[in-house]
Amino acid sequence: FFSDLNFPDKSLLKENFYSVSIAKDFVVFLITLSKLHEIYALFNPLAEAREVLEAELRRREAERLFEKVFKKALHGMMIVERLKIKEVNEAFKTMLMYDGDDLIGKNPIDLLAEDERESAKEVYERRKSAGVPVPPREVKFLRKDGGTVVAVL
């Protein structure tokens, strides 16, 4: 019977199906549950595409939720990539007294008070080279008006 079926891997069928003849020309197949998902994929060529699509939808939902939390947060937050600010939320702009997208593209170290910059560069290099998370610490940021504000970084 298995030789009549057009499957890419017939051994998968033989190893995971048990046939029980009930009547002439009628056979019931019992499948081991541990391999059910593998057999399903053979019968359903769209299963992998569906999994990829579902993963993409979950990723988009996670991004949407992150963006919502980021924008609405009461704490100042910034997204930094390769020492360039990519995005800041309203609370961060308010904290440093900036408007619009004035902070986008800036090096975040340049927003720190002069006496904070050298240690911030060292922390960045250590984190970059070792990939080790840095414990939170208080730093002084420079506001647009020249004043400072202490924040946890």
Side-chain angles (χ1 to χ4, degrees):
F1 179 81
F2 289 113
S3 61
D4 295 338
L5 297 174
N6 186 20
F7 289 129
D9 187 359
K10 290 179 182 54
S11 66
L12 184 64
L13 289 172
K14 289 180 183 177
E15 292 170 9
N16 296 292
F17 278 100
Y18 302 97
S19 63
V20 179
S21 295
I22 295 180
K24 185 179 180 183
D25 298 326
F26 185 74
V27 178
V28 173
F29 293 97
L30 304 174
I31 185 172
T32 59
L33 292 177
S34 63
K35 297 292 182 174
L36 183 59
H37 66 282
E38 292 177 36
I39 302 301
Y40 177 74
L42 287 175
F43 285 100
N44 187 353
L46 298 177
E48 187 174 326
R50 182 179 17 251
E51 288 175 15
V52 169
L53 179 61
E54 288 172 353
E56 176 64 17
L57 291 173
R58 286 190 302 274
R59 184 191 63 77
R60 287 181 185 181
E61 179 64 11
E63 282 182 0
R64 186 188 67 74
L65 288 173
F66 173 79
E67 185 175 349
K68 185 176 180 179
V69 168
F70 179 81
K71 287 182 177 181
K72 301 288 184 187
L74 298 176
H75 299 287
M77 297 192 302
M78 63 180 155
I79 297 174
V80 178
E81 186 178 312
R82 295 186 183 102
L83 286 181
K84 296 280 186 213
I85 297 174
K86 297 294 182 186
E87 193 170 347
V88 294
N89 68 356
E90 289 300 318
F92 192 81
K93 289 187 239 183
T94 301
M95 181 176 77
L96 297 186
M97 305 175 101
Y98 279 86
D99 298 318
D101 293 333
D102 295 345
L103 295 167
I104 305 302
K106 289 185 180 278
N107 183 328
I109 294 175
D110 294 341
L111 298 177
L112 298 176
E114 285 288 333
D115 59 336
E116 298 277 354
R117 292 180 185 176
E118 198 56 43
S119 67
K121 288 177 187 175
E122 290 171 11
V123 167
Y124 171 77
E125 289 301 324
R126 189 173 60 230
R127 181 174 162 220
K128 181 179 158 190
S129 64
V132 178
V134 178
R137 62 191 180 97
E138 286 187 353
V139 294
K140 288 184 285 185
F141 280 96
L142 289 175
R143 293 189 322 221
K144 190 174 183 177
D145 69 356
T148 60
V149 61
V150 176
V152 176
L153 181 64

